[in-house]
Amino acid sequence: MASPRAIRRLAFQTLFQMDARGGPDGDQIRMSLDDVEGFTPSERDKAFALAEAAFAARDHSDREFALLAPQWPAHRQASTDRAALRLGHFELTSGRVPPKVAVSEAVELARVFGGKKSSGFVNGLLDRVLQRVLADQANTNGVDATSPGAPPAIAEETP
């Protein structure tokens, strides 16, 4: 049985392929997962579904990252960084995992697969998204996000 971290790593690799091919590419990418050892068919399906969901949400994540780091839009990011950011953003904003876990896991993927500065880049951007998500949660729970110590909200651009 594969760990959640291993499934996430497979999802990251799948998302990387989707980005390189410009989309899920029919059944090609999904079928390529059948050759990966150490995963049950159900775990491969989970990894593919996670990658597919993160890929589908890429416009939303790319817009937020463009606001946070206008000098580093998605097309200028290293492909491994972009995949880690998109996966981390999706997990952060979907509530699938605790927010800090989503950031930590994405940073680890960037450290393993990216360049020398990738983990810092991914951590910096996702930390700002984390602050927004926590502020949104505080607002939803009736906490005044403008009180001292509350994380600042990040305004989103309306398409």
Side-chain angles (χ1 to χ4, degrees):
M1 186 160 161
S3 69
R5 176 173 277 176
I7 293 169
R8 185 177 290 107
R9 184 177 182 150
L10 185 58
F12 165 82
Q13 293 167 322
T14 304
L15 181 57
F16 180 88
Q17 286 184 58
M18 288 176 180
D19 189 42
R21 292 177 183 225
D25 197 23
D27 292 331
Q28 292 292 335
I29 294 173
R30 175 60 193 93
M31 288 183 344
S32 73
L33 297 182
D34 293 340
D35 297 331
V36 180
E37 294 182 18
F39 294 89
T40 65
S42 173
E43 292 165 341
R44 288 185 193 109
D45 289 343
K46 280 183 184 179
F48 186 79
L50 178 56
E52 197 171 40
F55 188 80
R58 73 190 181 284
D59 289 339
H60 177 69
S61 61
D62 291 354
R63 263 195 317 274
E64 184 162 9
F65 293 133
L67 289 170
L68 296 173
Q71 69 280 20
W72 288 105
H75 71 275
R76 290 198 60 213
Q77 297 167 3
S79 52
T80 52
D81 294 356
R82 188 170 50 244
L85 284 167
R86 287 174 173 171
L87 185 59
H89 187 277
F90 176 74
E91 287 196 307
L92 255 171
T93 59
S94 69
R96 298 178 124 206
V97 297
K100 291 182 181 180
V101 170
V103 173
S104 177
E105 291 291 318
V107 169
E108 179 63 15
L109 288 167
R111 187 189 66 74
V112 170
F113 292 100
K116 189 182 265 188
K117 296 182 180 183
S118 293
S119 61
F121 177 67
V122 168
N123 185 54
L125 285 175
L126 288 178
D127 183 59
R128 299 213 21 224
V129 175
L130 173 64
Q131 291 174 13
R132 179 191 56 79
V133 167
L134 293 176
D136 290 349
Q137 288 175 353
N139 287 335
T140 300
N141 294 330
V143 176
D144 181 7
T146 61
S147 65
I154 299 170
E156 280 198 324
E157 186 176 84
T158 316

